[in-house]
Amino acid sequence: MMTVSYDLDPDADPAGLTYTFGGAAPVMSIKPGTALSTWTRDCFAGRVRSASDRVSEVCDPRFINPQTGPFYIEGAEPGDTLAVHFVSIEPREARGVSTTVPFFGALTGTGTTALLHEALPERTWIYEIDRQARLVRYSALESPYEVDLPLDPMHGTVGVAPALGEVRSSLAPGDWGGNMDTPEMRAGTTCYLGVNVEGALFSFGDGHARQGEGETCGVAVETAMDTVVIVDLIKGMPCPWPRLESDDFIITTGSAKPLEDAFRIAHAELTKWLAAETGLSTLDAYQLVSQAALTPVANVVDTVYTMTAKLPKAVLKGAAPMGGTHARLRAMAASL
């Protein structure tokens, strides 16, 4: 297996980075079956450095969630599925940041939920990351309170170029992937993305040292990440919405507003996937999903919300999802 590296310039002007899915020229061409070692900046491109920094003062809202990529995947065509296996996701630094942002988050008014109240106070929390102990330390700002939380690195944004020539902000999730903000996107997981344009144009970023389900305030423990992925291609197999597969679960996603429509997309996709893998009728699959599915909330803060639906692979009775791609990529990862 070939391994390639792509290194970002840590001193590059943040305005020159990639902040969209679609619309950007590829930075590298990659053959399917290749392992890619690279790193991603945090969602603020490193501009929030201390508890005294305020996002509204140090960040331009046009330049949030810089992406690493896009990568041109050789041979990828519309109707194929890109498989991205996360071999490792590790914090690049011993610190992370989280903030409140004016009129952003689940518990404040927003531009589309218009209320006559002032913005919540803007604050910045600095988290110490102990990579050896696998801990993230929360320290309260207004009281002497600290607690250690498990380190659980993930990527909030993973996606390809959208269909129809669209260019979408890296703050938005959709059927191309994007800013789904699901904690399920961790090391050991394979993400499946439907290819919409030649070369797929795969990008990712928005590293989180950890995140609660829902990402309630809108900002996780944001940090730069060193990441290794294996990128592969499933020819002739479409994937209407992003899917994930771990050793124990198959997982579907849906992004929409209101939240119940995101729920419906995720569960409809899980029902269809289960039926395709097992030969069950749609109604039989619907009944099994109804009794066995788990539904973690990914985010309720982005431009639209994302829900996931996950089904234990034990109910598949030995079926190999997506042609056994996850198991094959797991074996490749073990050889690195």
Side-chain angles (χ1 to χ4, degrees):
M1 175 176 50
M2 180 184 297
T3 300
V4 298
S5 297
Y6 177 74
D7 194 20
L8 300 173
D9 177 2
D11 299 319
D13 182 351
L17 305 177
T18 300
Y19 295 91
T20 63
F21 288 93
V27 299
M28 177 182 282
S29 180
I30 298 177
K31 295 181 181 294
T34 297
L36 168 67
S37 176
T38 188
W39 67 279
T40 61
R41 293 174 172 86
D42 70 37
C43 72
F44 304 122
R47 286 165 289 183
V48 178
R49 298 184 176 91
S50 72
S52 63
D53 287 337
R54 302 288 179 260
V55 172
S56 64
E57 297 171 354
V58 302
C59 294
D60 185 323
R62 297 172 299 171
F63 305 133
I64 301 291
N65 268 7
Q67 301 301 291
T68 295
F71 298 97
Y72 184 98
I73 311 305
E74 297 178 16
E77 302 172 303
D80 297 339
T81 289
L82 184 69
V84 180
H85 181 75
F86 288 90
V87 179
S88 64
I89 306 173
E90 289 296 323
R92 189 175 179 86
E93 301 168 350
R95 62 186 292 280
V97 301
S98 191
T99 66
T100 48
V101 178
F103 298 113
F104 180 66
L107 301 183
T108 182
T110 69
T112 54
T113 302
L115 302 174
L116 294 177
H117 66 63
E118 297 295 323
L120 292 175
E122 203 170 352
R123 298 286 188 270
T124 298
W125 290 260
I126 302 298
Y127 286 77
E128 296 177 12
I129 299 174
D130 188 330
R131 289 169 287 191
Q132 184 172 359
R134 314 303 292 172
L135 296 173
V136 175
R137 175 159 294 171
Y138 163 84
S139 297
L141 293 179
E142 299 172 352
S143 60
Y145 191 93
E146 293 185 339
V147 65
D148 287 336
L149 305 172
L151 177 64
D152 189 12
M154 52 158 285
H155 277 287
T157 52
V158 179
V160 294
L164 304 177
E166 288 190 346
V167 177
R168 302 303 299 267
S169 166
S170 58
L171 292 173
D175 57 14
W176 64 92
N179 195 25
M180 296 178 285
D181 280 323
T182 170
E184 304 290 342
M185 199 77 72
R186 56 174 61 93
T189 296
T190 302
C191 177
Y192 302 107
L193 300 159
V195 175
N196 300 305
V197 303
E198 181 182 327
L201 299 182
F202 162 65
S203 301
F204 67 106
D206 191 22
H208 297 172
R210 67 163 296 109
Q211 177 205 304
E213 292 177 1
E215 199 184 22
T216 309
C217 80
V219 186
V221 180
E222 310 287 342
T223 192
M225 288 291 181
D226 289 316
T227 300
V228 178
V229 297
I230 299 174
V231 181
D232 208 357
L233 198 58
I234 308 173
K235 294 293 294 181
M237 180 182 289
C239 186
W241 281 86
R243 296 174 175 178
L244 294 85
E245 184 179 352
S246 66
D247 291 346
D248 300 317
F249 291 93
I250 59 171
I251 306 165
T252 51
T253 69
S255 298
K257 278 186 178 178
L259 191 61
E260 56 262 36
D261 279 352
F263 177 98
R264 292 182 179 112
I265 294 169
H267 280 254
E269 290 299 311
L270 188 60
T271 297
K272 295 172 187 175
W273 192 5
L274 174 62
E277 298 292 353
T278 62
L280 289 170
S281 70
T282 299
L283 283 180
D284 277 340
Y286 182 31
Q287 175 61 210
L288 184 52
V289 164
S290 296
Q291 310 313 328
L294 303 172
T295 312
V297 180
N299 89 79
V300 290
V301 296
D302 291 335
T303 56
V304 296
Y305 305 149
T306 300
M307 295 288 298
T308 63
K310 54 193 292 189
L311 196 67
K313 290 167 77 170
V315 306
L316 300 180
K317 299 184 68 173
M322 305 296 285
T325 298
H326 173 74
R328 179 170 54 80
L329 296 183
R330 281 288 267 170
M332 292 172 66
S335 69
L336 289 175

